[in-house]
Amino acid sequence: MTPYQYTACGLDNVYLEQMNVVQDDAGDKTMFIPAIGELHRVIAEGIITAPSKITGKEIRFLRTEMGQNQDELASALKVERLTLSRWERDEHPINGAAEMILRMLAAKKLIIAKMTDVEEVTDLTVSVGAKQPIRINGSNPEEYKLLAA
């Protein structure tokens, strides 16, 4: 089965693999995605553990998943709301220090245990690797898992 591009999260690079296809009442094949909250937590994990710069769409995704508005996140990152807004619109790239704080803040708020080492997070923020798709195994919706890029 081909991977399902999950764009409902606001990102273009999220693919669900091994998902179960179901038939709706009209007999059409459709994708049923349970446990959206857990799926979004795994997407956030994929964003903050990726060795590449965080994009504007990813900043917005993380902010909304953390339940924060622009003023709240801007305050946490010690920047103006306009600066955060420009980052989210990809008018300017997020600076390294703010990106590192954002990754660690998201890890804490979204309970992503893998992000505890400051040096590891620093290495991710300075990386210039190409943006990779976020691939998620959806065969067990009770336990979504990131797949290797």
Side-chain angles (χ1 to χ4, degrees):
M1 176 177 189
T2 59
Y4 173 74
Q5 185 177 13
Y6 178 63
T7 57
C9 63
L11 302 172
D12 300 324
N13 64 330
V14 176
Y15 295 89
L16 305 178
E17 300 185 17
Q18 302 174 11
M19 292 292 294
N20 293 324
V21 177
V22 296
Q23 284 190 332
D24 62 15
D25 292 338
D28 295 325
K29 290 183 178 179
T30 186
M31 192 68 58
F32 174 67
I33 304 174
I36 295 289
E38 176 61 14
L39 174 59
H40 283 206
R41 192 194 67 73
V42 174
I43 293 169
E45 180 182 335
I47 293 168
I48 67 173
T49 60
S52 60
K53 292 296 284 180
I54 291 179
T55 68
K57 286 182 178 182
E58 291 171 334
I59 295 168
R60 186 177 318 117
F61 176 86
L62 291 173
R63 176 177 58 78
T64 57
E65 288 305 307
M66 291 187 295
Q68 295 185 319
N69 62 37
Q70 284 186 331
D71 289 326
E72 292 166 334
L73 183 56
S75 176
L77 297 176
K78 306 298 185 219
V79 298
E80 297 293 323
R81 188 194 62 74
L82 182 58
T83 300
L84 176 62
S85 178
R86 288 178 177 152
W87 291 342
E88 287 187 357
R89 292 190 313 267
D90 279 324
E91 291 177 7
H92 298 287
I94 186 171
N95 69 55
E99 182 177 349
M100 185 172 135
I101 293 168
L102 175 59
R103 287 176 191 256
M104 296 191 78
L105 183 63
K108 180 180 178 185
K109 287 191 174 274
L110 301 173
I111 312 171
I112 300 170
K114 294 181 180 182
M115 300 298 291
T116 57
D117 183 7
V118 173
E119 290 176 354
E120 175 186 331
V121 177
T122 301
D123 290 343
L124 294 173
T125 61
V126 297
S127 176
V128 292
K131 186 55 73 178
Q132 297 293 316
I134 298 171
R135 296 175 46 237
I136 298 172
N137 180 331
S139 62
N140 180 3
E142 294 178 17
E143 193 175 337
Y144 291 106
K145 290 187 179 180
L146 279 175
L147 297 170

